[in-house]
Amino acid sequence: MTGPQRRQQLIEVGRRLFAERGFEGTTVEEIAATAGVSKPVLYEHFGGKEGLYAVVVDREIQALLGQMTEALTKEGAHARALLEAAAMALLDYIENSTDGFRILVRDSPPGQSTGSFASLISDIASQVEHILAAEFRRRRLDPKTAPLYAQMLVGMVAIPGGWWLDSRRMKKEDVAAHLVNLAWNGLSGMEARPALRTVRDRRE
């Protein structure tokens, strides 16, 4: 193999093993043996397991963010259409890149601040904020709360996506439809100044 071919092979092997066993459960020896190379070859290309893991995670994040950004940046699309497109984009990624999704939902290795599922959700949510802010202004709601609702909205789609991956008891389109049903109808009935009723009752 050429250098680039060997590098790509190691990435694919690492991706599969990290998905199956997690970062901690995968050893350098196992990666090298599966790829049919010696350990020094792995160190030469990535500096170790941590380096390989970082490359695998970065590729998955870029792939998912690319799909989500494309879904959320269709000019002239209605807010609900954008929400539906985002839900389908995430479920498409889960279906077509199952190993990648399993890697992203696992904990990052110690000392790594990026690449965790939480940081990925935050990155995707930042793509949603401006859409929600515009919709909030139209409905005379506080646009300053859009970042919070963006985090909640994206998390609400991502977590059930993991459930669907394991169960597959519903069609992908049906899962997306139910997610959008809850999200959209919840947004349409929002209060301008929400408060916890138990706290409000005590104050009164």
Side-chain angles (χ1 to χ4, degrees), residues 16 35 87 92 115 145 204:
R16 185 171 71 252
D92 283 341
T145 62
E204 293 176 351

Side-chain angles (χ1 to χ4, degrees), residues 81-93:
L82 292 174
L83 181 60
E84 290 179 357
M88 283 300 297
L90 179 57
L91 293 175
D92 283 341
Y93 171 80

Side-chain angles (χ1 to χ4, degrees), residues 18-162:
F18 289 139
E20 291 174 358
R21 307 181 185 188
F23 177 81
E24 295 295 344
T26 304
T27 65
V28 172
E29 290 80 5
E30 187 177 18
I31 297 170
T34 303
V37 300
S38 61
K39 289 194 295 182
V41 174
L42 177 64
Y43 286 108
E44 177 186 347
H45 281 279
F46 301 100
K49 184 176 72 169
E50 293 80 2
L52 174 59
Y53 181 87
V55 170
V56 170
V57 168
D58 184 65
R59 285 192 172 199
E60 295 304 322
I61 288 176
Q62 294 308 314
L64 179 51
L65 281 178
Q67 290 177 230
M68 295 294 289
T69 301
E70 182 180 356
L72 291 167
T73 53
K74 296 178 181 177
E75 289 192 23
H78 186 272
R80 174 160 181 157
L82 292 174
L83 181 60
E84 290 179 357
M88 283 300 297
L90 179 57
L91 293 175
D92 283 341
Y93 171 80
I94 292 172
E95 182 177 53
N96 299 324
S97 301
T98 301
D99 282 350
F101 181 75
R102 291 194 187 281
I103 291 169
L104 292 179
V105 298
R106 293 180 186 272
D107 292 334
S108 299
Q112 183 164 314
S113 60
T114 60
S116 68
F117 192 53
S119 69
L120 175 66
I121 290 299
S122 181
D123 288 342
I124 295 174
S126 68
Q127 303 282 337
V128 182
E129 286 179 18
H130 71 283
I131 298 171
L132 286 184
E135 187 68 14
F136 280 16
R137 291 188 189 94
R138 193 178 71 81
R139 296 174 181 271
R140 297 182 179 178
L141 300 170
D142 185 3
K144 293 179 181 177
T145 62
L148 172 62
Y149 282 94
Q151 294 283 342
M152 292 189 289
L153 185 61
V154 174
M156 189 184 75
V157 176
I159 302 304

